[in-house]
Amino acid sequence: MSRYVLALDQGTTSSRAILFDRAGRVHACAQQEFPQHFPEPGWVEHDPEDIWRSQYEVACQVLRESGASASDIAAIGIANQRETTVLWDRATGEPLANAIVWQDRRTAHICDALREAGHAEVFQRKTGLVLDAYFSGTKLKWLLDNVPGARQRAERGELAFGTVDSWLTYKLCGIHVTDSSNASRTLLFNIHALDWDDELLGILDIPRSVLARVVPGSGTVGTTRPELFGRPLPVAGIAGDQQAATFGQACLKPGMAKNTYGTGCFMLMNTGRTPITSHHQLVTTIGWTWGEGHDCRTDYMLEGSVFMAGATVQWLRDQLGIIQHSSEIEPLAASVPDTGGVMFVPAFAGLGAPYWDPYARGTILGMSRGTTKAHIARAALASIAYQTADILQAMQQDSGIALQELRVDGGASRNDLLMQFQADVLGVPVIRPTVTETTALGAAYLAGLAVKFWESEEEVTSQWHVERKFLPNMGVQEREERLGQWRRAVERARAWA
């Protein structure tokens, strides 16, 4: 009998592979960073072959180092960085260009033109998204318009477009598919009809022939090529990383929400089987589709995205040099009682929800001669919490649901100082689970449920356990004053570029 599910967690800066046992525990993990490319200001790229190579190598590594063989694996689940756009040759599998990463802002002018032409309403109504360079559709349009010969080849059916899930399943299985959660992030997919939308394809001038077949997030879509792992393995779960984390946090009922603190920061609230249109600059997205036939079910989410969370700490480390390792941020920030009046708006790649300002830029305000690197470090952590508070306010206004607790995961969720401040500025308990690898766990659960490694939703829910609960201890007046000061700082960072 198979003992594990293998989760492939393909992120923005690294690829990981994790083996989960039947109790939902991490049995073994391997991780590998890969290069980031910044060819022009505001541009962020990955080599698709780096993505594949690093992901395959850690998958082999985790099997080798754990002593597991392919026969021990019940299924593979994939969680992926979303919106990152790959275009490749169907016949050879060769990418036509570097992948355009979700953080990339080069298509902001395309989004401006679409808004000026009056298209914003139809995109939001059909896709649940705002017109922003964050999403994949304008990235694909840019590739077709700027890579020599790409548009003509696409129209002849020679090219395949995909987000990272599609790229990985193509390399693993030789198929061209995507799941509904990733499709819903492209500006091309009608989240009500659950199909690619011809009107939107026409507006963006994208031929339907480049698009992948859309499959449920939980269900066997193919098997890996035998030579990769020694025997074919079913790929049975696919989800964008934030939807996967929501599933891994067992936020399976309406009103439950999680926040992931990774490169970016992403809060998702489950709204059930009915999509809720946002009136406060959030996006409506598909969480997951699972089941077959009449039992097929789609759950929807409200989502707010912060572009710079862990990436802000990386900037302090790599560009400013005030820390040598990311783990040093917490003791440095804790060495001062407060920020000393410093406000840090990390809008290095613009601002995400609820502002959607691609022209905002990073700003540090309130410095004096007495400001130290510790004050800047503490302000950087506070900025992550403040951005999340902005999203929660919008989310509660859209949904009419008062959040009872926020479940947290991702690397920075291990930072106790940040988590306590997050609870303080939200005014609700922040709960960190025993297993914080929830992105990979969600992908594993989606795959394991499809092959009956786990029997039911209830079994999955029963495996979620609290590691620590952070209770708010900041008064309402202080909270409002701090949030007011934060929003003043945001206004000074906006529309800069």
Side-chain angles (χ1 to χ4, degrees):
M1 181 177 289
S2 300
R3 298 188 293 163
Y4 310 112
V5 172
L6 173 61
L8 306 182
D9 182 2
Q10 205 299 300
T12 308
T13 58
S14 68
S15 297
R16 294 192 299 167
I18 302 180
L19 289 178
F20 289 96
D21 64 19
R22 289 183 186 276
R25 295 179 301 234
V26 174
H27 176 72
C29 177
Q31 181 170 351
Q32 184 180 131
E33 291 191 1
F34 58 89
Q36 311 289 302
H37 303 282
F38 310 99
E40 294 188 30
W43 290 29
V44 188
E45 297 181 351
H46 293 156
D47 183 336
E49 295 293 355
D50 285 339
I51 292 175
W52 163 245
R53 174 191 49 76
S54 60
Q55 189 64 80
Y56 177 57
E57 286 179 0
V58 292
C60 294
Q61 180 184 345
V62 80
L63 293 175
R64 182 174 64 251
E65 293 182 354
S66 67
S69 67
S71 60
D72 293 315
I73 306 304
I76 293 175
I78 295 172
N80 59 282
Q81 55 165 315
R82 304 172 305 170
E83 294 94 22
T84 294
T85 299
V86 187
L87 186 66
W88 69 91
D89 184 303
R90 286 185 182 275
T92 67
E94 291 292 320
L96 268 71
N98 274 350
I100 302 179
V101 179
W102 59 272
Q103 298 164 314
D104 190 284
R105 310 306 296 165
R106 77 184 67 179
T107 64
H109 70 285
I110 298 176
C111 297
D112 291 342
L114 291 168
R115 276 191 295 273
E116 289 166 7
H119 295 309
E121 187 277 333
V122 69
F123 276 98
Q124 183 182 34
R125 174 165 45 86
K126 290 189 170 188
T127 71
L129 307 178
V130 298
L131 277 173
D132 189 83
Y134 176 36
F135 302 107
S136 309
T138 58
K139 293 175 168 60
L140 174 57
K141 175 177 173 57
W142 190 94
L143 287 168
L144 293 176
D145 289 342
N146 288 276
V147 175
R151 181 167 295 284
Q152 294 76 16
R153 296 187 63 197
E155 289 169 352
R156 293 197 298 267
E158 297 173 8
L159 303 183
F161 148 73
T163 42
V164 169
D165 60 305
S166 297
W167 174 240
L168 291 179
T169 51
Y170 173 81
K171 298 295 278 187
L172 287 165
C173 308
I175 58 177
H176 187 206
V177 299
T178 189
D179 86 298
S180 59
S181 75
N182 280 293
S184 74
R185 313 296 296 187
T186 60
L187 285 171
L188 308 174
F189 189 75
N190 188 316
I191 63 171
H192 310 282
L194 300 180
D195 194 9
W196 303 114
D197 191 280
D198 288 327
E199 180 183 8
L200 303 180
L201 293 173
I203 293 171
L204 288 173
D205 194 19
I206 291 173
R208 196 180 180 103
S209 60
V210 301
L211 303 177
R213 177 168 58 93
V214 182
V215 297
S218 182
T220 300
V221 299
T223 55
T224 60
R225 291 181 282 126
E227 66 271 19
L228 293 177
F229 301 107
R231 58 170 287 193
L233 297 174
V235 175
I238 305 172
D241 52 10
Q242 301 313 316
Q243 290 95 328
T246 309
F247 203 94
Q249 284 276 31
C251 293
L252 305 183
K253 295 180 180 177
M256 299 182 74
K258 70 89 202 176
N259 198 32
T260 296
Y261 300 80
T263 303
C265 206
F266 303 89
M267 183 185 289
L268 277 76
M269 176 184 282
N270 189 328
T271 62
R273 302 191 188 188
T274 303
I276 293 177
T277 299
S278 176
H279 300 286
H280 296 89
Q281 296 276 76
L282 301 180
V283 302
T284 306
T285 196
I286 291 175
W288 43 76
T289 300
W290 54 342
E292 298 178 355
H294 296 298
D295 295 326
C296 192
R297 155 184 162 188
T298 298
D299 285 353
Y300 292 88
M301 309 276 150
L302 278 173
E303 176 179 334
S305 304
V306 171
F307 295 155
M308 297 289 292
T312 305
V313 177
Q314 290 175 333
W315 181 79
L316 294 178
R317 181 193 68 190
D318 299 338
Q319 268 69 42
L320 221 54
I322 68 172
I323 54 174
Q324 297 300 308
H325 304 283
S326 296
S327 59
E328 296 170 12
I329 188 76
E330 184 173 6
L332 178 61
S335 70
V336 290
D338 53 45
T339 68
V342 175
M343 275 286 172
F344 189 160
V345 184
F348 298 101
L351 286 168
Y355 304 102
W356 294 108
D357 183 351
Y359 304 110
R361 286 297 177 266
T363 308
I364 303 177
L365 297 156
M367 291 186 291
S368 69
R369 285 290 298 273
T371 298
T372 68
K373 63 182 182 180
H375 293 114
I376 293 173
R378 192 167 183 119
L381 291 182
S383 75
I384 298 171
Y386 285 134
Q387 291 175 96
T388 299
D390 285 340
I391 289 171
L392 177 61
Q393 181 184 58
M395 199 167 278
Q396 292 184 146
Q397 290 171 332
D398 278 334
S399 67
I401 299 170
L403 190 69
Q404 300 302 306
E405 64 181 33
L406 181 66
R407 297 183 174 187
V408 297
D409 55 69
S413 71
R414 300 185 185 93
N415 186 314
D416 291 350
L417 181 68
L418 172 58
M419 292 301 99
Q420 182 57 57
F421 190 70
Q422 187 71 87
D424 289 342
V425 296
L426 292 182
V428 299
V430 167
I431 301 178
R432 186 169 62 202
T434 304
V435 177
T436 57
E437 303 290 357
T438 53
T439 300
L441 181 59
Y445 279 151
L446 287 165
L449 286 166
V451 299
K452 300 301 182 184
F453 187 80
W454 291 288
E455 290 296 330
S456 67
E457 182 179 327
E458 290 72 26
E459 183 180 2
V460 165
T461 301
S462 71
Q463 293 182 354
W464 187 88
H465 300 290
V466 176
E467 185 265 323
R468 182 166 174 183
K469 182 181 289 190
F470 298 86
L471 300 176
N473 58 20
M474 183 182 289
V476 174
Q477 182 176 348
E478 181 183 356
R479 181 182 305 125
E480 291 304 316
E481 287 174 354
R482 287 180 181 244
L483 288 169
Q485 187 182 26
W486 159 254
R487 285 162 189 154
R488 284 176 58 218
V490 168
E491 288 307 311
R492 283 156 174 76
R494 295 193 67 183
W496 183 262

